[in-house]
Amino acid sequence: MNKKAAIVPVAAPPDERVLILDFGSQYTQLIARRVRECGVYSEIVSHELSASDLAARRPAAIIFSGGPASVTAAGSPTCDPKILRLGIPVLGICYGMQLMAKLLGGEVWSAPRREYGGATIQIRKKGELFRGLGDHLAVWMSHGDEVTRAPRGFEVTARTRTSPVAAMADAKHRIYGLQFHPEVVHTPKGKEILSNFLFRVAGCRGGWTTKSFIETTISQLRERIGPERVLCGTSGGVDSTVLAALLYRAIGDQLSCVFINNGLLRKDEARDVRRAFREDLGIKLNYVDATSRFLRALRGVNSPERKRRIIGATFIRVFERQAKRLGNPPFLAQGTLYPDVIESSSPRGGPSVTIKTHHNVGGLPSNLRFKLIEPLRYLFKDEVREVGEALGVPPQMVWRHPFPGPGLAVRVLGEVNRRKLDILREADAIFIEELHRFDLYDKIWQAFAVLLPVKAVGVMGDERTYANVIALRAVTSRDGMTADWARLPEPALRAIANRVINEVKGVNRVVYDVSSKPPSTIEWE
């Protein structure tokens, strides 16, 4: 896991920002991450934004993302052509370059030979975009169409053996296009190319740091909250813990933290969270055991989307009850992150589809009685961790694996009940214990067990068994937007499986999930 990344202010729009028009690429979020790594705030927006709406946001630069569609197909995503005449620097990537070429009068055709994977581009003219780089660059291609003729005013600045226009530039109007993907790691000099665009072409200042984020956000929180009190729900996970530490730094005892035990927590979670807040953070924690209420609400529910919405709504109702007991604070703080927002809904109607509703984004009731505060809403997980470190949150809490808001409810596939939760809790605890024992925990982004809604035949003590199946999931990732399955060593997997089967009553089979994201998600529900 990368422990160093640029942090950007998000409590209110920063003075300097780059807007990324989303045309549906699986790499759109990666573009946002790479721009932020250069110290410049970035935000993903819909391709349907009008030129006037986009200009009103005063971006320092605009990036057109890639996308799976063909610009030659009817109904393919497009954008307001006036965007290209705003005088704002624009970089088009893959589909974004092809769309740019089409809108400006160039020609785009289905390529006689598609390019997928590694390629080498020959730089014909470096200009600002390729300044300081070599004459030949390794890049990552993924396209079926190609620009066959650049629009008037553009120069072809790079090509490959099969692509006559691998890059193009209208330096006068600061409009650039790349057929390849600079945002992926398979383009080794991609970050330098993006940096050249941001600083040499667009004139960005950059320089956003953890310190500036914390200082700016604290100032904005104090201004918005004033003398009022804030109710903050915390689960003990990374996001809500960092949120609580940030709010406590900003408003001190005006903060009322509430830890709701929804019965969907990991083994010993309630005990450990209460101890950490008391001993490590010095923050008073109001503890509520609402296990029975949550399990009643989830009885008979199989749909993961319904689970998430029920849990979100139940959380709010419990909070409302606690709010009344605590004097009705008008504000509710949530640890919503940018991946939660992206996965819960397409940014303003973009072509990206809803993957799943996060309980603290799409699961909230429409008649919410609180004013929401979400200062982490546009941060990725690794950025939140760096904020946590700067705030003095203990490392064991900052670098804890992510845990979903709905908890074990979305790791018990199908209907949730106490017996299933107890089985899963024990299996999950063994998994995590063994990862620590094999010194693997800190090398993995996220690891957990899943209770499958199937049973399998087994043999234990010469007797036939028909018992539950546990799936193990462990992934490596940087920000949770993409992930690959972790190649755990065979001795570790053997030890984990043996312990789960021998120690967890009701389990006779363990399987290991070897799917990546995409096409799968990290969580099963």
Side-chain angles (χ1 to χ4, degrees):
M1 293 183 291
N2 177 23
K3 297 189 179 183
K4 294 297 177 185
I7 302 299
V8 295
V10 295
D15 293 333
E16 181 178 78
R17 62 166 77 180
V18 170
L19 297 182
I20 301 164
L21 266 64
D22 179 18
F23 292 99
S25 171
Q26 62 177 317
Y27 299 134
T28 300
Q29 293 80 25
L30 203 51
I31 300 171
R33 287 294 300 114
R34 297 294 178 259
V35 172
R36 293 184 183 199
E37 286 171 10
C38 293
V40 178
Y41 177 73
S42 61
E43 186 177 333
I44 299 168
V45 298
S46 171
H47 67 96
E48 295 179 344
L49 273 181
S50 68
S52 58
D53 286 342
L54 195 148
R57 300 190 181 199
R58 301 177 61 188
I62 300 166
I63 296 178
F64 287 10
S65 83
S70 168
V71 297
T72 63
S76 59
T78 187
C79 67
D80 186 343
K82 295 178 183 177
I83 291 173
L84 295 168
R85 296 306 183 202
L86 289 174
I88 299 170
V90 180
L91 175 66
I93 296 175
C94 197
Y95 180 92
M97 182 183 95
Q98 296 162 10
L99 177 62
M100 177 190 300
K102 178 182 176 181
L103 293 175
L104 293 174
E107 291 183 354
V108 181
W109 298 97
S110 179
R113 182 178 176 182
R114 297 181 178 184
E115 283 187 301
Y116 294 100
T120 299
I121 62 169
Q122 176 185 358
I123 307 298
R124 300 180 61 181
K125 182 173 181 179
K126 291 191 176 181
E128 296 297 343
L129 206 60
F130 297 117
R131 188 176 296 276
L133 306 178
D135 295 329
H136 295 82
L137 298 177
V139 300
W140 186 260
M141 294 282 191
S142 180
H143 65 101
D145 292 342
E146 65 181 18
V147 177
T148 55
R149 180 174 61 81
R152 180 178 298 178
F154 280 77
E155 289 184 285
V156 176
T157 56
R159 62 176 300 155
T160 70
R161 290 183 179 179
T162 56
S163 290
V165 186
M168 63 183 192
D170 179 350
K172 179 180 178 181
H173 295 99
R174 298 188 296 173
I175 302 176
Y176 294 78
L178 301 174
Q179 183 57 73
F180 57 90
H181 289 272
E183 69 274 23
V184 302
V185 295
H186 305 292
T187 301
K189 297 293 184 180
K191 186 174 180 179
E192 287 87 340
I193 295 170
L194 288 173
S195 180
N196 280 343
F197 173 70
L198 295 170
F199 298 108
R200 293 184 178 277
V201 174
C204 292
R205 302 184 306 274
W208 295 112
T209 64
T210 301
K211 182 180 179 181
S212 68
F213 167 79
I214 293 172
E215 291 176 349
T216 302
T217 303
I218 285 175
S219 174
Q220 293 165 348
L221 285 170
R222 287 172 177 167
E223 182 178 355
R224 181 180 180 191
I225 295 167
E228 301 287 357
R229 297 186 60 81
V230 176
L231 194 64
C232 176
T234 181
S235 65
V238 178
D239 310 333
S240 62
T241 301
V242 172
L243 173 67
L246 182 63
L247 284 165
Y248 190 70
R249 178 77 65 88
I251 61 173
D253 290 338
Q254 290 173 242
L255 176 66
S256 295
C257 286
V258 177
F259 174 42
I260 295 178
N261 183 350
N262 57 11
L264 307 171
L265 306 176
R266 290 167 287 196
K267 186 177 180 180
D268 297 328
E269 187 92 2
R271 180 199 67 191
D272 294 344
V273 170
R274 295 165 79 181
R275 178 186 300 162
F277 267 70
R278 181 178 64 251
E279 298 178 3
D280 296 325
L281 299 176
I283 300 175
K284 182 181 178 181
L285 193 61
N286 297 277
Y287 175 72
V288 182
D289 188 346
T291 299
S292 297
R293 180 168 182 172
F294 278 86
L295 294 186
R296 280 198 306 271
L298 290 168
R299 188 176 299 154
V301 178
N302 289 281
S303 164
E305 278 296 287
R306 281 195 64 204
K307 288 182 189 177
R308 290 176 179 273
R309 294 185 182 280
I310 287 170
I311 291 167
T314 306
F315 257 111
I316 292 299
R317 297 311 172 214
V318 174
F319 270 124
E320 288 175 338
R321 186 170 181 176
Q322 290 304 305
K324 185 176 181 180
R325 186 178 69 83
L326 294 168
N328 290 312
F331 291 101
L332 171 64
Q334 291 196 131
T336 305
L337 303 191
Y338 205 20
D340 301 338
V341 177
I342 294 169
E343 289 192 339
S344 290
S345 61
S346 169
R348 292 200 54 174
S352 300
V353 299
T354 297
I355 299 171
K356 58 188 176 184
T357 299
H358 290 261
H359 83 287
N360 54 348
V361 180
L364 297 178
S366 58
N367 60 338
L368 186 67
R369 301 178 187 177
F370 302 102
K371 291 180 281 188
L372 283 179
I373 295 177
E374 298 178 314
L376 309 179
R377 185 178 178 85
Y378 292 104
L379 294 187
F380 289 91
K381 179 75 75 172
D382 56 332
E383 296 174 320
V384 173
R385 285 192 164 110
E386 191 178 348
V387 170
E389 285 188 323
L391 290 169
V393 178
Q396 67 269 24
M397 301 183 76
V398 171
W399 295 102
R400 193 178 191 190
H401 288 182
F403 188 62
L408 298 183
V410 291
R411 293 178 181 174
V412 171
L413 306 194
E415 184 180 0
V416 177
N417 59 43
R418 289 179 187 268
R419 182 175 177 276
K420 291 180 180 179
L421 290 167
D422 288 340
I423 290 173
L424 180 57
R425 255 189 282 270
E426 292 299 323
D428 187 75
I430 289 171
F431 189 15
I432 300 305
E433 286 172 12
E434 290 298 309
L435 289 178
H436 280 293
R437 187 168 74 87
F438 279 89
D439 195 28
L440 294 168
Y441 184 85
D442 291 331
K443 300 173 184 177
I444 295 170
W445 169 266
Q446 191 172 1
F448 56 90
V450 179
L451 181 63
L452 302 186
V454 296
K455 290 189 175 183
V457 174
V459 178
M460 289 182 173
D462 296 326
E463 293 185 359
R464 178 185 184 274
T465 62
Y466 190 57
N468 294 285
V469 180
I470 287 288
L472 304 178
R473 178 74 156 145
V475 299
T476 57
S477 180
R478 183 169 188 171
D479 51 32
M481 296 308 303
T482 60
D484 195 13
W485 62 279
R487 274 63 171 176
L488 297 183
E490 187 270 341
L493 284 173
R494 184 193 299 119
I496 295 163
N498 284 342
R499 281 196 62 193
V500 170
I501 291 172
N502 288 323
E503 298 178 27
V504 183
K505 187 176 181 180
V507 175
N508 68 359
R509 190 177 298 267
V510 173
V511 298
Y512 188 56
D513 184 346
V514 294
S515 50
S516 61
K517 175 186 179 179
S520 302
T521 56
I522 295 177
E523 297 286 345
W524 279 47
E525 285 193 345

